[in-house]
Amino acid sequence: MAPVVTSVSPTQGNPAGGTPVTINGSGFTGATVVRFGANLATNVVVMSNTQITARTPPGSGTAKVTVTGPTGTSTQNVFFTYTTVAAPVLTALSPTSGPTGGGNTVTITGSNLTGATQVLFGAAPATILTNTATQITVSAPAGTGTVNVAVTTPGGTSNSLPYTYTTVSAPTLTSLSPASGPTSGGNTVTLTGTNLTGAVQVLFGATPATILTNTATQITVTAPAGPASVVNVTVTTPGGISNPLSYIYVAAPVVTGVSPQFGPDTGGNSVTVTGSGLALASAVHFGPSLATGFTVISDNQLTATAPPGTGTVVVTVTTPGGTSTLGPGNPYYTYLGAPVINSLIPDEGSSFGGDSVTINGSNLTYTDSVTFGGVPASFSVLSDSLAVATAPAHAAGTVNVQLHTPAGNSNTLPFTYDPV
């Protein structure tokens, strides 16, 4: 049976000839002639019964590709088109050096790179990974010294750029700073170690980070996003892949409540903050103001010393996972001015008690106790400036009347109990 030709790759090339092609089919064993139209191909090599490599002869237009062997000549309509294709031009290699063992990825940048059929490092072919009109990535072959890198396309062979094989030590990582961060990523992480020059990739687990700066002993990156978990961070350089270091993705903290929810505007009181993800707290804020101190009790609770402030504010906790935001619960804290008593009407009454006493003052809304000489009285708060108390029974004499709110004790005013 005569040879069968099923395809040719590439399907077009320079009219001047010399384009490397691969012919696929069957029945190629013993083939002696490959023609492009009426013209004989050169450098014909029968790779197997199903594949032949060759270089095109000069030609024009569209030429039928045929293979002739001991049993005849192929008849299938497989064509090669002669067209003026611009020669490839190389402008850059990245990196420009790598290990003698090869295997590292090299990016070749230039123009007219579409349809690359071969990339040579010296005389050694590289494995083509990706190919566009302006960029090719390859896996470098093994080699030594400095070699020329060139690309062959249907338009011809490019200029060459130097690539140096070096004995490069593998990178080593000694620390990450910080060693934890938010699940949303975006934070800057500094990697410290040795042999870090020429880093081509930094992985957080399986996700690449964006490399910002790179020296022999330090790399800074923008961490990618990741789920709340522990991942390994590694660096790849021309010398290989580093040891891994652990990085913790931390979920953002959540504040669901504060107790008490009121306190003096002078601050200084202890407030219990509850929520989740609080164990790694680095700061607690009452509105814009930083708490003067805090103690982590558990992942769900901490105590903070309230700073001075005014009005109602949101209490937030900051961890490596970020700063808590408004969500479920009640993270609000209200600052109160100290209560003040301006007058008592009347300011005297019966020792039997029961007299209704109007208390005029300020900051009375959150009054939680009224005492006459230390004896609790029943009371009602009518407004922030007005409360009414029922004087308890007391021995004749003058006693101090005082109010208390979450902001503390008021001043005192005298109340006189008349003898019976």
Side-chain angles (χ1 to χ4, degrees):
M1 181 180 292
V4 174
V5 174
T6 57
S7 66
V8 61
S9 178
T11 59
Q12 61 180 12
N14 199 305
T19 301
V21 295
T22 299
I23 302 165
N24 300 299
S26 60
F28 292 163
T29 300
T32 55
V33 174
V34 174
R35 287 187 174 86
F36 284 67
N39 299 321
L40 292 174
T42 60
N43 299 98
V44 176
V45 178
V46 178
M47 305 297 292
S48 69
N49 191 53
T50 60
Q51 190 173 84
I52 295 173
T53 62
R55 286 188 178 269
T56 61
S60 62
T62 299
K64 185 175 180 178
V65 180
T66 59
V67 174
T68 300
T71 56
T73 298
S74 63
T75 60
Q76 292 74 35
N77 291 321
V78 175
F79 297 97
F80 180 87
T81 301
Y82 287 98
T83 181
T84 301
V85 179
V89 176
L90 303 188
T91 55
L93 304 179
S94 178
T96 58
S97 62
T100 55
N104 56 305
T105 299
V106 178
T107 299
I108 303 168
T109 303
S111 58
N112 308 319
L113 304 183
T114 302
T117 55
Q118 189 175 61
V119 177
L120 291 179
F121 281 57
T127 301
I128 298 174
L129 304 176
T130 65
N131 183 194
T132 70
T134 58
Q135 191 175 87
I136 300 172
T137 60
V138 299
S139 178
T144 59
T146 297
V147 298
N148 287 324
V149 175
V151 172
T152 298
T153 72
T157 299
S158 71
N159 58 304
S160 60
L161 293 177
Y163 179 86
T164 303
Y165 285 99
T166 59
T167 303
V168 182
S169 299
T172 300
L173 293 181
T174 56
S175 67
L176 304 178
S177 179
S180 58
T183 54
S184 59
N187 54 307
T188 300
V189 179
T190 300
L191 293 71
T192 303
T194 57
N195 305 317
L196 304 182
T197 301
V200 293
Q201 189 175 61
V202 176
L203 291 179
F204 281 57
T207 307
T210 301
I211 297 174
L212 303 176
T213 65
N214 183 195
T215 69
T217 59
Q218 191 174 87
I219 301 172
T220 60
V221 300
T222 299
S229 62
V230 179
V231 299
N232 285 328
V233 176
T234 58
V235 174
T236 300
T237 72
I241 300 175
S242 73
N243 59 299
L245 290 181
S246 295
Y247 180 85
I248 304 171
Y249 279 105
V250 182
V254 176
V255 174
T256 57
V258 296
S259 179
Q261 290 186 290
F262 307 95
D265 54 13
T266 55
N269 56 308
S270 179
V271 177
T272 298
V273 179
T274 54
S276 61
L278 308 182
L280 299 178
S282 58
V284 178
H285 282 83
F286 285 63
S289 302
L290 189 66
T292 56
F294 67 90
T295 301
V296 173
I297 307 300
S298 69
D299 195 54
N300 304 111
Q301 188 178 90
L302 58 81
T303 59
T305 302
T310 58
T312 298
V313 298
V314 176
V315 177
T316 60
V317 174
T318 300
T319 73
T323 297
S324 60
T325 57
L326 284 175
N330 188 4
Y332 297 98
Y333 181 83
T334 300
Y335 284 102
L336 304 176
V340 176
I341 299 175
N342 294 327
S343 66
L344 303 175
I345 303 174
D347 60 2
E348 63 178 324
S350 170
S351 295
F352 290 116
D355 294 293
S356 179
V357 179
T358 298
I359 304 171
N360 294 292
S362 58
N363 302 322
L364 307 184
T365 298
Y366 295 97
T367 298
D368 51 32
S369 71
V370 178
T371 57
F372 283 63
V375 178
S378 60
F379 66 92
S380 295
V381 176
L382 303 181
S383 70
D384 198 52
S385 60
L386 185 66
V388 176
T390 300
H394 199 283
T398 300
V399 298
N400 286 326
V401 176
Q402 190 172 53
L403 285 164
H404 181 275
T405 73
N409 288 316
S410 71
N411 60 308
T412 61
L413 287 183
F415 183 86
T416 301
Y417 281 97
D418 297 329
V420 178

